[in-house]
Amino acid sequence: DQQVKQNSPSLSVQEGRISILNCDYTNSMFDYFLWYKKYPAEGPTFLISISSIKDKNEDGRFTVFLNKSAKHLSLHIVPSQPGDSAVYFCAASNAGGTSYGKLTFGQGTILTVHP
Amino acid sequence: DSGVTQTPKHLITATGQRVTLRCSPRSGDLSVYWYQQSLDQGLQFLIQYYNGEERAKGNILERFSAQQFPDLHSELNLSSLELGDSALYFCASSARPGVTGYGNTIYFGEGSWLTVV
């Protein structure tokens, strides 16, 4: 049962344009959401997060939007740079529950930013 | 470099064998997590320890076990290995047993590639 889904396996974007990565979840107990970035031969690196009490969080070129009613979140990267090319994972957690550190990950989206 | 160290980086072993994966968390981090990334299952949470005690458990098989030692390093033991256990095993650490963002980022190591033949 895939509780966190990233339906787009890959996304290709031109440098300078906006990249939008999408994520859907099914578990209504999730109340904290994160995006991780992963380069080949490296572990996932934390990018940005959002609590369910917010609908937007911004950090530099990265913005995460949360639509609780639709159980959907998205990561916007503006402007996209070739160095952003990586696999992006959406993750969710029930921060208010007992599984504090357990993250449920999506399958990942491969982002390619062309110069 | 996340500061989380995993050994070995690569391991090839035969079915039925037992292996131990080792993880040294970032200096000062008390919580350690193990994740498995396989081609068909993605990144799956296995188990979490905090200051030597088990804190949360995921879909970890009974053939797998883990522990966190007094010096805070952790080991993941995989026994009676099957072909399907071939995967990338990540260790991660954080200062507290919470979730990233509440001032408690979870840092991942580079992973240990296990190939069972």
Side-chain angles (χ1 to χ4, degrees), chain B residues 14-79:
Chain B
T15 54
Q17 295 297 305
R18 172 191 168 96
V19 299
T20 297
L21 308 180
R22 194 178 192 277
C23 170
S24 294
R26 287 179 358 121
S27 177
D29 283 358
L30 299 179
S31 195
V32 169
Y33 314 77
W34 286 97
Y35 282 81
Q36 177 194 56
Q37 184 180 23
S38 56
L39 281 174
D40 57 343
Q41 293 290 323
L43 265 164
Q44 299 275 315
F45 170 77
L46 294 178
I47 198 163
Q48 176 194 4
Y49 282 84
Y50 177 70
N51 205 19
E53 293 190 3
E54 184 182 305
R55 183 58 79 106
K57 210 166 185 176
N59 297 324
I60 186 167
L61 298 172
E62 285 190 11
R63 299 183 286 107
F64 295 0
S65 64
Q67 55 183 324
Q68 185 180 26
F69 295 86
D71 66 354
L72 301 177
H73 92 270
S74 177
E75 292 181 357
L76 179 65
N77 300 297
L78 316 173
S79 61

Side-chain angles (χ1 to χ4, degrees), chain A residues 11 21 37-40 82-88 109-113:
Chain A
L11 175 67
L21 297 103
K37 173 180 174 180
K38 185 180 180 304
Y39 291 117
D84 295 330
S85 297
V87 181
Y88 288 79
T109 297
I110 302 170
L111 173 65
T112 304
V113 181

